[in-house]
Amino acid sequence: MKTATLAALALPLLCAAPSSVADHLYRIESGGKSRSYLVHTPPNSNAPLPTVVLLHPYDASAAGFLGYSGLSAVADAEGFAIAAPNTAYGSLGNWNSGGEGPQTIDDVGFLGDMIDALTTQGISDPSRVYAAGMSEGGFLVYRAGCQLSGKLAAIAVVASTETQEDYAATPPQQVYPCVITHPVPLLHIHGLADTCVLYEGGIGSGLLPQRRQSVPATIAHWRKRDACAAHITTTQGEGGLVCEQNACASGAAVRLCTIADAGHIWPGAAYFPRSVNAQCGGEGSGAIDAASAIWSFVSQYQLVGGTLQPAPRILP
């Protein structure tokens, strides 16, 4: 991983309305490029804090996604920080997630450098750093779970899948290895009516129609990597919500929540940019609040000396 140097300190975010007075824009040099990330910290909080790295979808930005995801409100209530990076090409760019995205951009290296910078600055507790993302952001979360597991205690994805293989090749070719240093707890939330990132895999609709791996295949990979037990506990909620969970090695869990009739959405969000459902089918859903569900899941875990352990309850 390349070493990052801090290029600017806590610059006020002027290009978009910040979610709170505690939002600041930072820049670092990583991979020979100037990269930016937005940091949200709860008012009157005492750093270092547990931190969620929040990766935005395609056709979005760190500021926009931080706004409509609702995660800032959860962070303020629960006492954790959010680090929301931007792609190398801004809001219309996408991430190098392996089988998709700009292959010349080292986004995994950038995330690692950003996490190191957050720790050096005293913002983040290195034992409690997590990653979450939607759609293309989720693709990179899966890659980070594989290649940055030594820095991440748990991961969560929404409306996404794993892009470890390049399906443009016949047969599909593996783009990056997945060698985790500890069992990586995973929460995956997916609408079954999503036509952009199809639950059953294949070529979806939307702005970036490519052949992709199915969600069940992705979950199966992570259950194997995490040495999960065969027994699955299933729970059902309102609005077509079904969640399945395995208990895995070192106290980890792999949890899959699906929502019947939901499209390519961040469940529980008050609004979405543009007309996502017009491209990706399905409906919005309040069957689960993704922001709250993600924090409830990932906050159970911490890394101590590289070993996954239960995390203490952090009071704001």
Side-chain angles (χ1 to χ4, degrees):
M1 181 175 296
K2 302 175 179 63
T3 301
T5 58
L6 204 58
L9 293 176
L11 299 176
L13 182 66
L14 301 177
C15 57
S19 300
S20 84
V21 294
D23 287 5
H24 294 88
L25 184 69
Y26 293 84
R27 292 187 181 278
I28 58 172
E29 292 294 323
S30 180
K33 295 183 178 294
S34 176
R35 302 296 298 268
S36 66
Y37 57 97
L38 182 65
V39 174
H40 175 91
T41 53
N44 305 314
S45 59
N46 295 315
L49 295 167
T51 301
V52 175
V53 175
L54 183 67
L55 298 178
H56 67 77
Y58 180 75
D59 199 21
S61 66
F65 190 41
L66 188 60
Y68 76 74
S69 69
L71 196 62
S72 294
V74 180
D76 290 350
E78 298 290 341
F80 63 93
I82 305 169
N86 289 295
T87 72
Y89 299 108
S91 63
L92 292 179
N94 56 346
W95 304 101
N96 177 5
S97 60
E100 297 188 29
Q103 301 299 299
T104 59
I105 302 298
D106 184 7
D107 280 323
V108 170
F110 165 48
L111 294 184
D113 291 341
M114 182 187 72
I115 292 169
D116 289 344
L118 290 165
T119 300
T120 300
Q121 292 166 258
I123 295 172
S124 299
D125 175 354
S127 70
R128 300 195 64 191
V129 178
Y130 315 101
M134 175 183 172
S135 192
E136 291 246 329
F139 299 165
L140 183 56
V141 167
Y142 269 129
R143 183 173 187 177
C146 285
Q147 298 188 294
L148 293 177
S149 61
K151 298 179 185 292
L152 297 172
I155 61 175
V157 299
V158 177
S160 189
T161 190
E162 193 170 61
T163 54
Q164 188 187 13
E165 294 184 330
D166 179 7
Y167 280 86
T170 304
Q173 298 296 308
Q174 186 181 96
V175 180
Y176 63 86
C178 191
V179 182
I180 57 177
T181 60
H182 63 86
V184 179
L186 163 66
L187 168 64
H188 186 120
I189 302 172
H190 213 99
L192 296 181
D194 185 343
T195 63
C196 280
V197 180
L198 300 170
Y199 179 79
E200 296 296 343
I203 301 175
S205 60
L207 297 175
L208 299 170
Q210 293 185 241
R211 186 176 302 279
R212 299 184 176 102
Q213 181 174 274
S214 73
V215 173
T218 294
I219 297 301
H221 288 168
W222 282 94
R223 285 172 173 161
K224 182 177 181 179
R225 290 165 185 154
D226 287 349
C228 299
H231 177 72
I232 296 175
T233 300
T234 302
T235 58
Q236 296 184 346
E238 297 181 356
L241 176 68
V242 177
C243 294
E244 301 177 345
Q245 181 164 314
N246 294 69
C248 311
S250 298
V254 171
R255 183 172 179 83
L256 170 64
C257 292
T258 59
I259 310 169
D261 301 324
H264 194 67
I265 62 164
W266 181 270
Y271 68 96
F272 292 91
R274 301 188 180 180
S275 181
V276 175
N277 285 350
Q279 301 175 31
C280 300
E283 302 173 354
S285 176
I288 188 173
D289 180 74
S292 296
I294 286 170
W295 177 246
S296 178
F297 181 84
V298 301
S299 63
Q300 301 174 80
Y301 305 101
Q302 65 178 346
L303 286 178
V304 179
T307 301
L308 188 70
Q309 295 185 9
R313 170 69 174 167
I314 301 295
L315 297 177

